[in-house]
C-alpha cells in the first residue's frame, strides 16, 4: 500500500472547525496527503468570532514537533497561528533543522478581526520565522503589519512583495483578496513573477481561506510540485472551496474543504 506524502501543520485550533488546525488537516486530506499537527494554541471560536485563546507552552510545541518529525518525517511544513515571541522563536529554531519546504502563513488577525499575534512577536516573525520560509503567504493586513506597506491597488503589490522578500523567504505570495474586483494574488521570488486571478464569488462564508490556501500549497509541494505549480493548484482549490462556502451558526461560515468530493 502506498504511503501518502506527509505534511505537518504547526498552528492553533479552531473549535468551530473552519480555520486553524482543523482546516489544515481537512485540506491536506482532500489533496491526497497525510496531515499531521503540532498544536500551538487552543481557541474558543465560532462563526461570530474568537471568544478566548490559550497558548501552549513552548516545551509542548517542541515535544510535538520532535515526536512527529523524528519518527514519521515530513515532506512539507505549514505554519499558522504563533501568538507570542517565544512560540515564534521556538518554531523557527525547529524549522531550521528541517530540509522540507516550509510555507509560512503569518497569521495576524482572524476573519472576524480578532488579534491572533501579539505586537511584540512581529519582530521575531520578521527576523526568525520568515527566513526559514520557502514561501510566505501574507494577506494585505499582514503585509501592512509586517512591512508598513499598505496595498490600496494592484500595482502596490509588487512593492509589498519586495518588502516581504526582504525578510528572507525564497518566495512571497501577496494575497489581494481584500482589493476590489477579481481575487488577484502575486507570487514572486524577486525575479519570476506570477499573477493569479480568479472570479470573486458572492459568498460571505469564507472563514478559513488563508489557512486553507497555505495548507493546499504545502500539500502540493509535498506531492512534488514546484512553488509556482503548487500555488496555482492551491488557488484553484481554494477558489472552489470559497464558492462552496456554507452557512454555519449565526455569523461567517467556513469554506467547503470537501467541495471536490461533492462534484
Amino acid at each position: 500500500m502506498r504511503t501518502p506524502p506527509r505534511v505537518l501543520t504547526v498552528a492553533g485550533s479552531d473549535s468551530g472547525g473552519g480555520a486553524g488546525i482543523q482546516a489544515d488537516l481537512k485540506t491536506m486530506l482532500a489533496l491526497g496527503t497525510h496531515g499531521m499537527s503540532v498544536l500551538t494554541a487552543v481557541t474558543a471560536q465560532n462563526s461570530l468570532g474568537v471568544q478566548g485563546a490559550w497558548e501552549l507552552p513552548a516545551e509542548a510545541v517542541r515535544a510535538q514537533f520532535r515526536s512527529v518529525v523524528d519518527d514519521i518525517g515530513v515532506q512539507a511544513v505549514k505554519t499558522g497561528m504563533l501568538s507570542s515571541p517565544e512560540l515564534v522563536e521556538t518554531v523557527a529554531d525547529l524549522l531550521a533543522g528541517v530540509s522540507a519546504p516550509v510555507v509560512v502563513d503569518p497569521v495576524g488577525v482572524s476573519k472576524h478581526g480578532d488579534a491572533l499575534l501579539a505586537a511584540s512577536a512581529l519582530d521575531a516573525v520578521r527576523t526568525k520565522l520568515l527566513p526559514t520560509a520557502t514561501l510566505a503567504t501574507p494577506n494585505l493586513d499582514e503585509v501592512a503589519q509586517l512591512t508598513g506597506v499598505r496595498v490600496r491597488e494592484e500595482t502596490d503589490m509588487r512593492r509589498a512583495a519586495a518588502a516581504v522578500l526582504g525578510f528572507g523567504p525564497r518566495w512571497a505570495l501577496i494575497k489581494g483578496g481584500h482589493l476590489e474586483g477579481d481575487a488577484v494574488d502575486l507570487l514572486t521570488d524577486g525575479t519570476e513573477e506570477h499573477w493569479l486571478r480568479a472570479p470573486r464569488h458572492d459568498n460571505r462564508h469564507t472563514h478559513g481561506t488563508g489557512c486553507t490556501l497555505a495548507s493546499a500549497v504545502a500539500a502540493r509541494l509535498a506531492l512534488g510540485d514546484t512553488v509556482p505549480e503548487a500555488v496555482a493548484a492551491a488557488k484553484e482549490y481554494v477558489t472552489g472551496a470559497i464558492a462552496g462556502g456554507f452557512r454555519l451558526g449565526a455569523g461567517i461560515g467556513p469554506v467547503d474543504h470537501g467541495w471536490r468530493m461533492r462534484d
Side-chain angles (χ1 to χ4, degrees), residues 57-227:
E59 178 184 2
V61 171
R62 190 178 298 109
Q64 292 175 82
F65 189 95
R66 290 265 62 92
S67 179
V68 171
V69 173
D70 293 348
D71 174 49
I72 301 172
V74 294
Q75 287 160 285
V77 182
K78 175 260 178 182
T79 72
M81 178 183 176
L82 304 173
S83 52
S84 69
E86 184 180 16
L87 278 187
V88 172
E89 291 176 11
T90 296
V91 171
D93 287 344
L94 291 166
L95 293 175
V98 172
S99 59
V102 174
V103 179
V104 170
D105 183 17
V107 176
V109 296
S110 76
K111 176 68 68 178
H112 307 90
D114 302 289
L116 298 176
L117 178 71
S120 59
L122 286 171
D123 193 54
V125 172
R126 297 182 191 106
T127 62
K128 303 289 187 181
L129 187 62
L130 287 177
T132 71
T134 306
L135 172 69
T137 64
N139 64 30
L140 301 188
D141 290 336
E142 291 155 355
V143 166
Q145 266 190 319
L146 291 167
T147 71
V149 174
R150 299 203 173 273
V151 176
R152 294 182 173 85
E153 55 189 41
E154 192 175 304
T155 55
D156 296 329
M157 294 174 74
R158 285 194 178 97
R159 188 162 53 95
V164 172
L165 289 171
F167 294 123
R170 285 173 45 202
W171 291 82
L173 177 65
I174 308 302
K175 299 180 297 189
H178 294 170
L179 296 176
E180 297 294 325
D182 287 349
V184 58
D185 305 324
L186 171 60
L187 172 69
T188 181
D189 63 354
T191 303
E192 289 185 44
E193 191 174 275
H194 304 266
W195 291 90
L196 298 100
R197 299 178 187 277
R200 187 177 299 278
H201 295 286
D202 184 18
N203 185 357
R204 68 189 293 261
H205 300 302
T206 57
H207 185 48
T209 306
C211 304
T212 299
L213 179 65
S215 295
V217 174
R220 293 299 312 189
L221 290 173
L223 288 163
D225 284 358
T226 65
V227 171

Side-chain angles (χ1 to χ4, degrees), residues 25-84:
L25 294 176
K26 292 173 189 177
T27 299
M28 292 167 186
L29 177 63
L31 294 182
T33 63
H34 175 70
M36 306 171 292
S37 61
V38 170
L39 197 63
T40 61
V42 175
T43 69
Q45 189 171 167
N46 56 27
S47 69
L48 298 173
V50 179
Q51 291 78 47
W54 298 267
E55 181 182 304
L56 268 68
E59 178 184 2
V61 171
R62 190 178 298 109
Q64 292 175 82
F65 189 95
R66 290 265 62 92
S67 179
V68 171
V69 173
D70 293 348
D71 174 49
I72 301 172
V74 294
Q75 287 160 285
V77 182
K78 175 260 178 182
T79 72
M81 178 183 176
L82 304 173
S83 52
S84 69

